[in-house]
Amino acid sequence: MSTITVRKSGGSLIMTIPQAYTEQNNIEAGAELVVEIAGETLTLKPARKRKYSLDDLIAETPEGLHKVEDWLDLKPVGNEAWSDSK
C-alpha cells in the first residue's frame, strides 16, 4: 500500500495514479475509469470499452449522412466477416 497527496487544481482536487497500476492496467492519459464510492472507500477500475453491434452503429448513423447505394451487396475488402444470410 502506498500513500499519495491530494492537490488542488483550479476548483478541483486531484491525485496521481501510481505508475505500477497504470502499467498493469494499460492506462494512459485520456483513459476512462469507473469510480465507485462506498462510504470512505474510493475504487477505480478501467472502464470496459463498449462493443457495438452493426445494428447499434446503423441506428446511431445521423440522417442525411451520405451512404453508398447497395452497400449491403458489396464484397469484403479486408477481414470483414460477412454473412450471405439476410
Side-chain angles (χ1 to χ4, degrees), residues 15 17 32-38 41-47:
M15 64 180 200
I17 301 172
E32 292 184 3
L33 300 175
V34 175
V35 179
E36 295 177 2
I37 302 168
T41 302
L42 176 72
T43 305
L44 300 175
K45 296 181 198 175

Side-chain angles (χ1 to χ4, degrees), residues 15-85:
M15 64 180 200
T16 56
I17 301 172
Q19 184 176 359
Y21 183 83
T22 61
E23 289 174 353
Q24 173 185 327
N25 293 286
N26 299 316
I27 296 172
E28 296 178 351
E32 292 184 3
L33 300 175
V34 175
V35 179
E36 295 177 2
I37 302 168
E40 294 182 353
T41 302
L42 176 72
T43 305
L44 300 175
K45 296 181 198 175
R48 293 186 179 189
K49 293 183 180 179
R50 180 177 171 195
K51 293 186 179 183
Y52 294 93
S53 70
L54 180 57
D55 290 335
D56 291 338
L57 294 173
I58 291 172
E60 292 178 16
T61 302
E63 288 295 325
L65 187 67
H66 297 290
K67 296 181 184 176
V68 176
E69 198 167 313
D70 300 323
W71 67 274
L72 285 174
D73 297 325
L74 295 174
K75 299 290 182 208
V77 295
N79 295 324
E80 299 95 332
W82 293 100
S83 172
D84 291 338
S85 61

